[in-house]
Amino acid sequence: MKLQRKNRLRAISLGAVAVSGALALTACGSDDTGKKTTDNSSSSTSASSIKCDNAKGQLLADGSSAQKNAIDAWVKEFSQACGVQINYKGGGSGAGVTAFTQGQVAFAGSDSALKPEEVTASKKVCSGGQGIDLPMVGGPIALGYNVPGVDNLVLDAPTLAKIFDSKIKTWNDPAIKKLNPDAKLPNLKIQAFHRSDESGTTDNFTKYLIATTPDNWKYSGGKAWQAKGGQAAPQSAGVAQQVKQTAGAIGYFELSYVTDGMKAVSISTGASKPVAPSTDSATADIAAAKVIGTGKDLSLQLDYKTKAEGAYPITLVTYEIICDKGNKADTLPATKAFLRYIASEDGQKVLSGIDYAPVPDEIIAKVRTTIEGLS
């Protein structure tokens, strides 16, 4: 992305924060400030295209920081059209699910689908129903790095696993040299940053390592980081900030957090060329996702082992978690109206302009149908 476009998007994001104030929504774990959002010139949404119905008051939500920048853009549009305040705390995917199962929020955001025990817990707050997963935001998990003098960096799954497991410790390691024969790799210590909070981004990144290089990544995975060593920071914005200011650093976060002074790794997947993270390359992978949820649940199975040309393998889908039945009567109209907008064609169009991938048509159509049936 060109510097000019980045600066424009950053300015817009600050404007969105100023307009929405406490309306900011976060995702997958964060008080983080997002880098980008949209304005009326980049969004196809107009106030008249958003159906407010009986939406009123304010909504409390919590969850994933991965979708933070998307939520900021959506909240700006929706709040201007409907006057509903949305306070999305963004304490992380784990915090969001906990808040939801304790009945503290109208909906939650998570980069991982509900576990069976979480579905069971949700039945206590979803009167006559249960929590379900609605895929709403797709995108690549970028490996942002800060290595002076290296503008293009290629890594593969085994090398990434060894870096984040403290087995490869310097940037001029032979394994990295082999993948980057033309790069001037410095004898510089690798500073690998991971999430300190429970995160669906961690869950998806480690699922990729488990699927593609199990011999080099022997951890069970999940929202909590398990490997030894490295350094930790809270939420996507915290990891991104540490990478940006630390020479020799590398970390994982959503593409929208790759800011000025930072670059993203291209992944060698076995395709003819390494694949860089982008909305198009993430869409190519997410398009192959399968719905594995039952009933109204639409949780997906992603293809982390893809070798398809132009498909970026380290992707995530962020779910909005809501009761299929038994939602609180005072928040249901506003919640449905907001979910209806972000799942709409206009809402999904916002995503590609801010480094996220829209949910594939076949899947988002099921999401729209499910939203209309929420009660």
Side-chain angles (χ1 to χ4, degrees):
M1 182 183 299
K2 295 182 178 179
L3 180 59
Q4 182 179 6
R5 180 170 175 261
K6 288 185 176 182
N7 289 336
R8 180 178 67 84
L9 287 170
R10 183 184 297 106
I12 294 168
S13 179
L14 292 173
V17 172
V19 171
S20 59
L23 314 183
L25 277 80
T26 302
C28 151
S30 146
D31 311 312
D32 2 342
T33 53
K35 176 175 75 78
K36 304 170 189 171
T37 181
T38 56
D39 60 11
N40 291 334
S41 64
S42 60
S43 169
S44 60
T45 306
S46 64
S48 61
S49 71
I50 297 177
K51 298 179 181 178
C52 301
D53 293 339
N54 296 316
K56 59 183 178 180
Q58 61 180 334
L59 295 178
L60 297 179
D62 199 354
S64 158
S65 64
Q67 64 177 5
K68 161 68 173 168
N69 296 324
I71 291 294
D72 279 350
W74 283 332
V75 168
K76 178 186 175 184
E77 299 285 352
F78 182 76
S79 296
Q80 287 179 342
C82 301
V84 175
Q85 292 186 341
I86 301 176
N87 180 3
Y88 186 94
K89 289 177 60 179
S93 291
V97 171
T98 297
F100 178 76
T101 57
Q102 293 180 351
Q104 299 172 355
V105 294
F107 68 93
S110 177
D111 309 328
S112 298
L114 291 169
K115 297 178 181 178
E117 61 269 26
E118 292 168 340
V119 173
T120 299
S122 74
K123 293 179 180 180
K124 297 179 181 179
V125 296
C126 299
S127 179
Q130 66 180 46
I132 56 173
D133 302 285
L134 301 180
M136 205 70 75
V137 181
I141 299 174
L143 278 302
Y145 70 95
N146 179 354
V147 183
V150 180
D151 292 331
N152 297 289
L153 183 66
V154 175
L155 297 173
D156 58 12
T159 307
L160 280 169
K162 292 173 184 177
I163 286 173
F164 280 91
D165 200 22
S166 302
K167 301 293 177 57
I168 292 179
K169 299 182 179 182
T170 60
W171 282 108
N172 63 347
D173 187 275
I176 302 177
K177 283 185 175 181
K178 185 176 180 180
L179 292 165
N180 300 272
D182 298 326
K184 295 181 179 179
L185 297 166
N187 182 19
L188 178 65
K189 181 181 178 181
I190 294 174
Q191 307 276 0
F193 284 89
H194 58 265
R195 290 283 289 271
S196 60
D197 55 318
E198 288 199 357
S199 163
T201 310
T202 294
D203 190 19
N204 283 274
F205 176 51
T206 55
K207 279 179 179 176
Y208 161 74
L209 297 176
I210 291 168
T212 54
T213 185
D215 290 343
N216 294 298
W217 195 261
K218 299 182 180 296
Y219 304 97
S220 60
K223 294 177 184 176
W225 185 258
Q226 296 173 329
K228 306 299 181 183
Q231 300 184 61
Q235 292 89 47
S236 292
V239 175
Q241 181 61 32
Q242 290 298 320
V243 172
K244 183 176 180 179
Q245 67 187 22
T246 306
I250 185 171
Y252 59 90
F253 33 78
E254 295 66 45
L255 182 61
S256 61
Y257 290 95
V258 177
T259 57
D260 299 340
M262 196 193 312
K263 297 179 174 61
V265 172
S266 293
I267 303 298
S268 177
T269 64
S272 63
K273 296 180 180 179
V275 185
S278 70
T279 56
D280 289 342
S281 62
T283 298
D285 182 57
I286 295 171
K290 298 178 181 179
V291 176
I292 58 173
T294 57
K296 294 183 178 180
D297 185 86
L298 297 175
S299 56
L300 303 176
Q301 183 178 64
L302 300 173
D303 184 9
Y304 299 104
K305 300 172 70 174
T306 183
K307 295 183 180 179
E309 297 295 328
Y312 185 79
I314 317 176
T315 57
L316 60 74
V317 171
T318 292
Y319 302 97
E320 311 312 329
I321 297 172
I322 185 74
C323 296
D324 59 353
K325 298 178 182 178
N327 291 282
K328 294 179 181 179
D330 58 339
T331 58
L332 179 60
T335 302
K336 284 184 70 171
F338 180 67
L339 295 178
R340 181 185 294 120
Y341 160 57
I342 67 178
S344 71
E345 183 177 352
D346 282 343
Q348 289 289 297
K349 280 181 179 178
V350 169
L351 296 175
S352 58
I354 49 175
D355 291 334
Y356 291 98
V359 176
D361 290 344
E362 181 179 350
I363 297 172
I364 202 65
K366 295 178 181 179
V367 171
R368 292 167 186 157
T369 299
T370 301
I371 290 170
E372 296 307 317
L374 297 176
S375 63

